């Protein structure tokens, strides 16, 4: 029979598992290790204005996901105002409205931003060229300034750089000084760029500095080389490129703040930087499930805690499969060690080992007495279950009375599994002797301890909970192990005499 379908299935599981895990790490920035930290910026904008006792509408530009920053959460405070978030080609905006307001007004907007390593640039629509008209003598001055910078440039970027530098104090000419007496620098530069056929617009950026208060937005010039490629220029120095810690607040060429029904409007910004565990920083975006972003984070916290344990079971199963197929350890029951390992996670390893040995030892003694009563299987196993419950109860009470609170955690042991383990060991004792009981019991304990060490590892707990694709990888590995038909490691002892000869 062809093994091709088997290897195709295994290959698909590996590709899907690795692919979804890499997607979550690269696209959603879920960390590989639990201790990674992310820098978080908290920015608060305060809008002040004086209402005139008539209907008020306030439009305020909002930042978007962009190069180096991802929005985590947004909050507003605006008592009595209606609030809507709008999205159009120019970007995102918040719109507050109220039927009537009088006197001093304050509106608050705060945003939490995560510093990311995402190198994708913010999508921007290239603005149309504006028709520029000048009054005399500014038309002649503008034409000469453009001609001078155009001669020393080769493309839109170099032209913008040379044009801005011509407005610096050390390079100003009579024409540039004349234009500056009538126009503000940044809008003037945009007009000149448009007149020269270069697509450009004014955008607003916020320089992030930890602990700063009452900061304002700074103007920047966005110059387009073509429909997709653009660059930022500092209108004061001509420096090209986006500086570190610069957040583009408004990148659509519109006013940052528009107030209808009020006067003396202004907006100031305060900001604070802090570190946060990476898993917590991206939790909000992980809660939005999609086909490629399928996670447990959308569930309530109680269910998340439950699944954090359940998702460790495949790790224990992989350990059991490896030890039984490749090493050749014998265990009492196929996956009983996994359930015992889960109990060890709840009780701690030393307490769990002592509790397991006590319960099984006492249970075997009582089961040995029940064998003389010639009970049927169902009744005998039921009696053993009740016996296990009684043993656990007695040990818990005694440990509490002597002040050993760790003994109370013995109740986490799976009682039905312990009862069946005692039943199997008792039958094995009767049929094959105590040696096999020790071999299988010891193998079960070794397997349970190794499974516990694997399942209780912080890195493995983090990976299994945050990357569900790992479950597909584990399944593929188990299938590959299940296809092994060679010698087990413990069986190689039979060939020792051959090596001695």
């Amino acid at each position: 029979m062809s093994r091709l379908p088997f290897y195709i299935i295994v290959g698909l599981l590996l590709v899907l598992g690795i692919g979804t895990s890499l997607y979550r790490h690269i696209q959603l920035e879920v960390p590989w290790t639990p201790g990674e930290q992310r820098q978080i910026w908290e920015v608060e904008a305060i809008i002040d204005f004086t209402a005139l006792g008539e209907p008020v509408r306030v439009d305020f530009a909002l930042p978007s996901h962009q190069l180096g920053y991802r929005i985590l959460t947004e909050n507003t405070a605006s008592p009595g105002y209606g609030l809507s978030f709008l999205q159009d080609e120019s970007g995102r905006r918040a719109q507050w409205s109220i039927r009537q307001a009088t006197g001093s007004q304050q509106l608050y907007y705060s945003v939490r931003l995560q510093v990311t390593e995402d190198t994708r640039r913010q999508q921007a629509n290239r603005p149309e060229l504006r028709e520029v008209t000048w009054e005399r003598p500014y038309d002649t001055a503008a034409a000469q300034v453009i001609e001078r910078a155009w001669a020393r440039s080769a493309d839109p970027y170099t032209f913008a750089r040379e044009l801005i530098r011509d407005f610096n104090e050390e390079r100003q000419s009579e024409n540039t000084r004349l234009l500056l007496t009538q126009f503000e620098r940044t809008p003037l530069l945009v007009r000149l760029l448009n007149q020269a056929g270069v697509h450009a617009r004014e955008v607003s950026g916020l320089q992030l500095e930890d602990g700063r208060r009452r900061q304002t937005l700074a103007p920047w010039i966005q110059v387009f080389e073509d429909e997709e490629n653009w660059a930022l220029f500092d209108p004061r120095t001509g420096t090209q490129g986006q500086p570190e810690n610069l957040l583009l607040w408004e990148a659509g060429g519109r006013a940052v703040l528009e107030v209808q029904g009020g006067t003396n409007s202004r907006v100031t910004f305060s900001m604070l930087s802090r570190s946060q565990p990476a898993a917590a920083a991206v939790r909000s975006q992980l809660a939005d499930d999609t086909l490629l972003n399928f996670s447990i984070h959308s569930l309530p916290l109680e269910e998340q805690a439950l699944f954090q344990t359940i998702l460790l079971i495949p790790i224990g199963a992989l350990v059991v499969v490896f030890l039984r197929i490749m090493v050749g350890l014998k265990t009492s029951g196929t996956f009983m060690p996994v359930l015992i390992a889960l109990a060890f996670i709840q009780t701690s390893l030393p307490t769990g080992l002592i509790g397991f040995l006590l319960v099984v030892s006492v249970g075997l003694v009582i089961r040995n007495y029940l064998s003389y009563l010639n009970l049927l299987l169902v009744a005998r196993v039921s009696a053993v279950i009740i016996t296990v419950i009684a043993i656990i109860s007695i040990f818990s009470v005694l440990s509490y009375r002597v002040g050993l609170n760790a003994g109370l955690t013995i109740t986490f042991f799976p009682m039905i599994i312990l009862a069946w383990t005692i039943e199997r060991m008792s039958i094995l004792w009767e049929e094959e002797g105590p040696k096999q009981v020790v071999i299988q019991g010891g193998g079960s304990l070794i397997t349970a301890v190794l499974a516990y060490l694997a399942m209780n590892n912080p890195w493995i707990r983090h990976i299994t909970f945050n990357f569900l694709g790992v479950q597909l990888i584990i399944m593929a590995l188990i299938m590959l192990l299940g296809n092994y038909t060679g010698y087990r490691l413990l069986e190689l002892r039979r060939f020792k005499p051959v090596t001695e000869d």
Side-chain angles (χ1 to χ4, degrees), residues 456-473:
N456 201 44
N457 182 278
W459 182 78
I460 290 179
R461 295 172 69 92
H462 172 81
I463 287 292
T464 54
F465 183 68
N466 290 284
F467 298 90
L468 293 185
V470 172
Q471 307 297 325
L472 301 178
I473 299 174

Side-chain angles (χ1 to χ4, degrees), residues 288-332:
D288 299 327
D289 279 343
T290 61
L291 182 62
L292 292 177
N293 181 27
F294 183 77
S295 70
I296 306 298
H297 293 81
S298 58
L299 296 176
L301 290 179
E302 184 177 356
E303 279 69 22
Q304 289 188 38
L306 175 62
F307 271 98
Q308 192 169 27
T309 301
I310 291 176
L311 293 173
L312 293 174
I313 294 178
I315 296 293
L318 178 63
V319 173
V320 171
V321 170
F322 178 79
L323 292 177
R324 292 198 59 163
I325 295 178
M326 303 299 293
V327 180
L329 275 181
K330 294 182 179 180
T331 61
S332 178

Side-chain angles (χ1 to χ4, degrees), residues 20-156:
T20 54
S21 299
L22 289 176
Y23 172 84
R24 287 174 63 79
H25 175 68
I26 297 173
Q27 188 74 14
L28 304 177
E29 298 187 359
V30 181
W32 292 123
T33 57
E36 289 188 32
Q37 298 285 316
R38 291 287 188 269
Q39 184 182 11
I40 303 296
W41 283 99
E42 295 184 359
V43 181
E44 181 184 66
I46 303 177
I47 301 171
D48 296 284
F49 66 95
T50 302
L52 303 176
E54 57 188 55
V56 175
R57 192 179 76 180
V58 179
D59 284 277
F60 180 56
L62 302 180
S64 303
H65 297 306
Q66 56 189 271
L67 177 66
Y69 299 97
R70 175 180 287 118
I71 295 176
L72 298 180
T73 58
E74 296 176 291
N75 296 286
T76 61
S78 50
Y81 282 80
L83 173 64
S84 298
F85 291 95
L86 308 178
Q87 176 79 47
D88 55 27
E89 293 183 356
S90 63
R92 301 170 60 246
R93 303 185 73 83
Q95 187 177 90
W96 288 273
S97 59
I98 193 171
R99 181 60 62 179
Q100 185 177 11
T102 304
S104 178
Q105 305 288 309
Q106 275 193 336
L107 305 177
Y108 294 87
Y109 168 81
S110 62
V111 60
R112 292 176 66 249
L113 301 149
Q114 176 191 341
V115 177
T116 72
E117 298 178 357
D118 191 352
T119 58
R120 294 174 302 165
R121 306 188 68 181
Q122 183 178 358
Q123 294 295 326
N125 296 321
R126 187 175 70 172
E128 297 295 331
L129 290 175
R130 297 180 181 179
E131 184 177 351
V132 181
T133 58
W134 307 87
E135 296 180 357
R136 291 184 179 275
Y138 304 109
D139 55 347
T140 304
Q144 292 181 4
V145 169
I146 291 173
E147 182 180 357
R148 180 184 177 189
W150 189 268
R152 302 195 308 271
S153 66
D155 52 52

Side-chain angles (χ1 to χ4, degrees), residues 236-429:
R236 297 168 296 277
T237 63
T239 304
Q240 179 180 343
Q242 184 170 341
E244 186 179 359
N245 289 349
L246 178 68
L247 173 67
L248 287 182
W249 194 274
E250 200 288 320
R254 293 180 57 181
V256 174
L257 179 64
E258 297 177 349
V259 178
Q260 298 180 16
T263 59
N264 300 323
S265 61
R266 65 168 186 161
V267 57
T268 57
F269 299 85
S270 302
M271 60 209 74
L272 188 67
S273 174
R274 61 188 180 87
S275 295
Q276 184 176 350
V282 300
R283 186 171 292 128
S284 60
Q285 70 193 62
L286 295 179
D288 299 327
D289 279 343
T290 61
L291 182 62
L292 292 177
N293 181 27
F294 183 77
S295 70
I296 306 298
H297 293 81
S298 58
L299 296 176
L301 290 179
E302 184 177 356
E303 279 69 22
Q304 289 188 38
L306 175 62
F307 271 98
Q308 192 169 27
T309 301
I310 291 176
L311 293 173
L312 293 174
I313 294 178
I315 296 293
L318 178 63
V319 173
V320 171
V321 170
F322 178 79
L323 292 177
R324 292 198 59 163
I325 295 178
M326 303 299 293
V327 180
L329 275 181
K330 294 182 179 180
T331 61
S332 178
T334 307
F335 291 104
M336 181 272 286
V338 179
L339 300 178
I340 299 301
L342 286 175
F344 287 167
I345 292 176
Q346 304 293 331
T347 63
S348 79
L349 186 58
T351 304
L353 283 173
I354 295 172
F356 178 80
L357 292 174
L358 284 175
V359 172
V360 172
S361 300
V362 176
L364 281 174
V365 173
I366 297 176
R367 167 60 180 77
N368 185 52
Y369 172 75
L370 291 176
S371 63
Y372 292 104
L373 301 180
N374 294 324
L375 299 177
L376 295 176
L377 176 63
V378 176
R380 188 170 66 244
V381 173
S382 300
V384 173
I385 292 174
I386 296 173
T387 300
V388 168
I389 295 174
I391 295 170
I392 291 177
S393 302
I394 293 172
F395 285 155
S396 297
V397 172
L398 290 177
S399 63
Y400 178 74
R401 289 290 179 88
V402 299
L404 298 176
N405 293 332
L408 298 175
T409 58
I410 198 174
T411 54
F412 287 106
F413 277 109
M415 299 177 186
I416 305 298
I417 300 300
L418 284 179
W420 273 107
T421 301
I422 293 171
E423 177 68 19
R424 286 198 190 98
M425 287 186 175
S426 180
I427 295 175
L428 189 64
W429 189 303

